[in-house]
């Protein structure tokens, strides 16, 4: 068949055949075909058209390696990993080889979306044992690039998400780096939250670098604060997350494999995992937090990564700003000793534990309060093409804003992470860097009737109105009488 | 945005946006958007392109209702049924309302393939209770068309698949119809088998009719033998099967809901379910067969359908021909009293039970042996635009053939349905009507070394060679010494 290239970035690579050719080959939509050229062999998932390609033509969408000219087309057998997915749905334990085959088929886009949906459903419903988690982590690591270092000790950290404004990384990393310990930190962008660390760092500097450049920056400055999505460290992670998102599933074993395969690929061997728990946080109770911590430690030890976990309170946002610019302001203020104290205390504590794991005698809080962490932060953003002279006053949140006031007096008993995130996203975060929320009250603060609880910022008025509409329909900041224990009447 | 229609029959309707617009809207592939025109409101799943549509344009693939001109585009919220799918993955019992929402979202193509994969995975892994099966069946029935009849008693039958050559329907239906009982039989085409009843009937006549025409044929002839896919009787069934196929899952409750929603929609109230069991059949043991039978009866009683189930032996193919033409030859021969006796006995037995359920005093075997069933069959194929004078000698299997011989003497202890089906499909069935297998030996037959076991027929030589290649690698017909109990050494 003659190849016709089609510019379409579908969710997974698609091969398009004319209806008549598909009938001749006995193909249905979602079947796989093998495409052979003189020097290449590919497999693609089929869609069928009446007119978009002619008989004898084959449309090939972006994502499949480049092919052109004439090719042979045959019905492909189902990839082996589909059997393993089926086994997982039958609650059977999978082998190391099974996971290598699954990860390879995901990496090469050999699975259809229905099959990927089956994979995340099976690992969610039937779970992954510790052994399976180790196999999966190894397979995810091995399919991607791996960074090697000359130093013996390489630190890293990761926070389980779900707590709004939890932007400790840009403070913790400079403290550790300033103490002389290498920490090649890669972070994600927001998927469902108002800002990922990469989105916030982008307020200061570039975050998109090659592995070579990351090595150069870290060898020179001891740390970096870059986006993990531009490098091929455990690259199937993003492909799996794409399938987890629509179903809102987040299988525990998969989370551990995702995090530790990234860390292992980055060459880190001392890793701190922060697990916030509490109402409206991802992990809702301390028993679950402890269970996750134990799993992280056990899987880590199989991978020669020394792991410590912190279980922290995640019952309200950390800091006051939520959204890229508003969080960036909090970060600069903490690095200059005048930001929100909860953000300062938590960032320093995490750095202290990391330094201890790395056998460093340096004192985290001294490094922060002496301004050495600020200096290191400025060095890192300069190495990442940002302006090292930036100050909090240079950072402006969105011009359109609304103050949200309390309809009663009392004390703040709860701030809902999910609702705060939802409001900030409707206001435009993370795409609109200046959009978000600035909290005026935190849990246990006293509030008078009509006193301000938080301000919503947006870069345009439509989005501000959207955010206001959401705010009206929920109780993001819960205010109750001082001695009142009633939360809801049902 | 300006609508650009794109001719592509994707697995589900797709909306294509330019990368820049997608970024502006904060959209990722697989997100949903709402599309509003002055008089229409639609929801579609998003793919992203660099060039296929320009900024400000929106590409719309086949499947989404027709829209044109300028439209408003906004990020849509996730359909409610995704929450129910997630609940099923958490092994929670779903309500009647939940199933109505799931079925509606599937019908209107509101779910992405990942979500559909989650649905079939969840119902497979965690199962459906009897109540859930009833709710699902009702929801699947209500979303489609429903046929009504003047007669009080309407018969129907269904066989659980998996047994090659099990083409009893074109014999059973004419017997029942000849006895004066209405039986509006709709059948499927092959998905993974070498022929569905619809594929085999197509050798004789058309199978693709509107509901009005089906009513007309059945009111006149008492029976029909048509394809179920062309009418909207429980239309989501096909959409669900499309997602079950890639994962090879077939959740029990889903099978029952699929079958009974079709029967309920067709207006039937006396239904015989045939459940073949045995090695290499879909149902492998009698305990499982009994369990399925009980569920069918219980769900049927909730829907006011009287159900009887037959548990039959499915340890080898029924009849001798496998593939559309070869099965058609068997059928004509049985109707003329000289075909394979197992096919004759089974078809008549099923008809006898159906007639009994319908309070008919007529004798099934008399109707078959007297030639009245053949006469009725010819009437039905004439009503379906076929030639009523067709004889077995008019039906020619493929010209290319190979005889497969036994490499030892002994008796046939097993014929593997799956392997026989696989060989017949590689030979070209069901698309090549003349392709398939003719068995020369059945279980318990004596065989000499080098004696023929079966013949493979194909319409072209390449496919014949493919089928031979598969045959060499397996033992489709198992021959053992007469007193030998050894099956395999491992």
């Amino acid at each position: 068949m003659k190849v016709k290239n089609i510019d379409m970035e579908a969710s997974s690579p698609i091969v398009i055949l004319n209806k008549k050719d598909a009938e001749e080959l006995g193909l249905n939509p979602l079947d796989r075909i093998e495409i052979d050229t003189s020097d290449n062999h590919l497999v693609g998932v089929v869609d069928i058209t009446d007119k978009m390609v002619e008989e004898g033509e084959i449309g090939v969408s972006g994502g499949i390696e480049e092919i052109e000219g004439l090719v042979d087309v045959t019905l492909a057998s189902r990839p082996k990993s589909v059997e393993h997915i089926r086994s997982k749905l039958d609650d059977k334990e999978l082998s190391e080889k099974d996971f290598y085959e699954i990860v390879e088929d995901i990496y090469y886009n050999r699975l259809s979306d229905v099959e990927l949906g089956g994979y995340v459903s099976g690992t969610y419903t039937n779970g992954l044992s510790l052994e399976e988690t180790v196999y999966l982590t190894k397979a995810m690591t091995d399919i991607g690039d791996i960074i090697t270092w000359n130093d013996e000790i390489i630190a890293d950290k990761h926070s389980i998400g779900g707590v709004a404004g939890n932007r400790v990384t840009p403070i913790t990393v400079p403290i550790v780096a300033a103490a002389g310990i290498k920490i090649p930190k890669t972070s994600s962008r927001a998927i469902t939250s108002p800002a990922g660390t990469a989105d916030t760092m982008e307020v200061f500097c570039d975050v998109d670098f090659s592995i070579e450049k990351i090595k150069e920056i870290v060898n020179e400055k001891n740390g970096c604060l870059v986006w993990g999505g531009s490098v091929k460290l455990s690259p199937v992670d993003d492909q799996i997350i794409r399938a987890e998102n629509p179903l809102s599933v987040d299988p525990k074993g998969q989370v551990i494999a995702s995090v530790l395969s990234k860390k292992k690929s980055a060459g880190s061997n001392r890793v701190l995992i922060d697990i916030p728990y509490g109402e409206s946080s991802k992990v809702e109770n301390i028993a679950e937090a402890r269970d996750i911590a134990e799993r992280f430690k056990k899987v880590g030890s199989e991978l020669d990564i020394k792991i410590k976990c912190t279980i922290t309170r995640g019952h309200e946002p950390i800091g006051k700003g939520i959204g890229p610019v508003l969080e960036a302001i909090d970060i600069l203020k903490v690095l200059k000793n005048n930001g929100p104290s909860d953000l300062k205390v938590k960032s320093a504590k995490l750095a202290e534990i990391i330094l201890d794991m790395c056998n460093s005698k340096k004192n985290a809080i001294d490094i922060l309060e002496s301004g050495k962490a600020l200096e290191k932060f400025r060095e890192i953003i300069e190495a990442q093409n940002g302006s090292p002279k930036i100050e909090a006053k240079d950072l402006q949140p969105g011009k359109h804003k609304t103050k949200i006031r309390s309809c009663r007096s009392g004390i703040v008993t709860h701030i809902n992470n999910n609702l705060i995130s939802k409001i900030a996203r409707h206001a435009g975060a993370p795409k609109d860097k200046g959009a978000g929320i600035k909290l005026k009250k935190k849990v246990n603060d006293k509030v008078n009737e009509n006193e301000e609880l938080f301000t919503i910022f947006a870069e345009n008025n439509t989005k501000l109105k959207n955010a206001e509409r959401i705010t009206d329909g929920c109780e993001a900041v819960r205010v109750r009488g001082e001695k009142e224990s009633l939360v809801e009447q049902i």
Side-chain angles (χ1 to χ4, degrees), chain A:
Chain A
M1 287 190 173
K2 187 158 169 273
V3 173
K4 181 180 176 184
N5 281 293
I6 290 173
D7 160 55
M8 191 172 97
E9 192 181 306
S11 38
S12 55
I14 286 178
V15 172
I16 301 168
L17 288 182
N18 187 283
K19 208 168 186 170
K20 288 185 185 154
D21 288 328
E23 270 176 23
E24 179 56 36
L25 286 159
L27 290 170
N28 296 311
L30 284 198
D31 276 346
R32 278 179 198 78
I33 54 169
E34 302 191 29
I35 307 168
D36 285 292
T37 67
S38 48
D39 52 14
N40 219 334
H41 174 87
L42 306 167
V43 176
V45 171
V46 171
D47 269 324
I48 294 168
T49 181
D50 273 338
K51 282 170 263 160
M52 196 164 156
V53 302
E54 306 281 317
E55 262 186 272
E57 275 188 351
I58 179 167
V60 173
S61 80
I64 295 209
E65 291 168 55
E66 287 204 3
I67 51 169
E68 46 184 17
L70 291 174
V71 294
D72 283 332
V73 173
T74 43
L75 180 60
S77 57
R78 194 167 284 190
K80 260 196 185 167
S81 65
V82 175
E83 276 169 44
H84 311 324
I85 292 171
R86 165 67 192 267
S87 294
K88 184 38 81 184
L89 289 171
D90 283 328
D91 202 8
K92 287 179 189 150
E93 183 107 3
L94 302 186
S95 71
E96 183 158 10
K97 186 159 167 285
D98 296 344
F99 279 103
Y100 270 84
E101 286 173 356
I102 290 172
V103 164
E104 194 183 286
D105 284 339
I106 294 175
Y107 181 70
Y108 290 108
N109 283 307
R110 291 186 201 130
L111 297 184
S112 71
D113 277 0
V114 166
E115 290 154 350
L116 265 180
Y119 172 71
V120 300
S121 298
T123 52
Y124 174 74
T125 299
N126 293 328
L128 292 171
S129 68
L130 274 174
E131 288 72 26
E132 288 181 313
T133 309
V134 171
Y135 302 149
L136 175 60
T137 310
K138 285 182 176 171
M140 288 177 71
T141 306
D142 288 351
I143 202 120
D145 292 335
I146 289 175
I147 309 184
T148 52
W149 303 96
N150 294 326
D151 305 64
E152 200 188 314
I153 290 176
I154 303 293
D156 214 336
K157 74 159 284 291
H158 177 84
S159 282
I160 304 292
V163 177
N166 188 16
R167 211 51 61 222
V168 294
T169 299
I171 303 165
T172 302
V173 167
I175 298 175
V176 173
I181 304 291
K182 288 202 169 36
I183 181 163
K185 179 74 181 109
T186 61
S187 303
S188 55
R189 290 185 189 279
I191 299 172
T192 54
S193 75
T197 294
D199 299 303
T200 300
M201 282 310 299
E202 219 168 19
V203 172
F204 297 108
C205 57
D206 293 343
V207 295
D208 191 346
F209 295 97
S210 67
I211 284 189
E212 292 66 37
K213 186 69 188 167
I214 290 173
K215 276 192 80 161
E216 192 186 312
I217 296 171
V218 175
N219 275 324
E220 207 171 302
K221 309 294 178 193
N222 283 339
C224 68
L225 287 155
V226 302
W227 178 43
S230 57
V231 284
K232 275 195 171 179
L233 300 175
S234 189
V236 296
D237 189 37
D238 285 350
Q239 293 164 287
I240 293 170
I241 287 173
R242 195 184 66 83
E244 287 176 350
N245 264 342
L247 292 165
S248 310
V249 293
D250 213 2
K252 263 184 214 173
Q254 187 66 56
V255 170
I256 293 169
S258 294
V259 170
L260 292 186
S261 61
K262 295 253 184 214
K263 301 310 180 198
K264 183 77 187 167
S265 306
S268 304
N269 51 27
R270 299 286 189 282
V271 178
L272 176 66
I273 307 290
D274 178 37
I275 308 169
Y277 83 96
E279 187 180 344
S280 82
S281 164
K282 244 187 206 172
V283 178
E284 296 225 323
N285 63 63
I286 197 163
E288 198 187 335
R290 284 178 184 140
D291 175 58
I292 294 172
E294 282 305 320
R295 287 162 184 252
F296 262 110
K297 290 180 77 112
K298 281 185 185 151
V299 175
S301 76
E302 296 285 328
L303 298 162
D304 298 318
I305 300 176
K306 197 175 159 185
I307 291 186
K308 291 229 172 196
C309 298
T310 47
I311 298 178
T312 52
R313 296 177 69 204
H315 62 303
E316 65 171 337
I318 305 283
K320 300 207 160 164
I322 289 112
V325 164
L326 289 151
E327 291 173 20
I329 293 170
D330 274 1
I331 290 162
L332 272 186
K333 283 186 176 168
V334 168
L335 287 166
K336 297 190 98 171
N337 277 317
N338 58 358
S341 60
D342 58 344
L343 182 61
K344 173 182 171 180
V345 169
K346 181 168 179 181
S347 307
K349 187 72 195 171
L350 298 190
E352 180 189 321
I353 297 170
I354 294 171
L355 291 179
D356 184 55
M357 288 170 79
C358 297
N359 311 320
S360 167
K361 304 266 183 277
K362 303 274 173 67
N363 183 302
I365 200 82
D366 283 354
I367 294 173
L368 180 57
E369 291 183 344
S370 67
K372 284 185 192 152
L374 175 64
E375 199 181 313
K376 179 55 76 179
F377 182 71
R378 294 197 186 282
E379 280 177 28
I380 292 172
I381 59 179
E382 186 170 23
Q384 293 183 198
N385 309 328
S387 160
K389 290 181 182 156
I390 195 162
E391 296 291 344
K393 65 175 172 42
D394 304 325
L395 299 172
Q396 291 300 328
K399 284 195 181 107
H400 302 265
K401 59 185 176 181
T402 307
K403 294 183 178 186
I404 304 298
R405 298 173 183 284
S406 181
C407 56
R408 59 172 293 182
S409 64
I411 63 164
V412 175
T413 62
H414 178 65
I415 302 179
N416 189 303
N417 286 301
N418 298 330
L419 296 174
I420 288 290
S421 294
K422 198 172 167 185
I423 296 165
R425 280 183 73 92
H426 275 80
K431 167 126 207 309
D432 301 345
K433 295 280 184 202
I437 282 173
K438 184 162 184 187
L439 296 169
K440 291 295 161 74
K441 297 286 176 184
K442 303 275 306 244
V443 168
N444 287 333
D445 284 354
K446 285 200 179 179
V447 181
N448 294 320
E449 192 179 333
N450 214 30
E451 200 182 344
E452 189 187 347
L453 295 172
F454 57 91
T455 308
I456 309 173
F457 292 89
E459 293 186 357
N460 77 56
N461 207 41
T462 314
K463 290 184 184 173
L464 184 68
K465 294 295 161 204
N466 278 342
E468 280 177 33
R469 192 165 38 85
I470 298 288
T471 311
D472 284 346
C474 69
E475 196 183 22
V477 176
R478 194 188 291 154
V479 178
R480 290 292 177 273
E482 244 176 289
K483 308 245 160 131
E484 192 181 318
S485 65
L486 180 74
V487 176
E488 277 177 11
Q489 283 186 60
I490 294 178

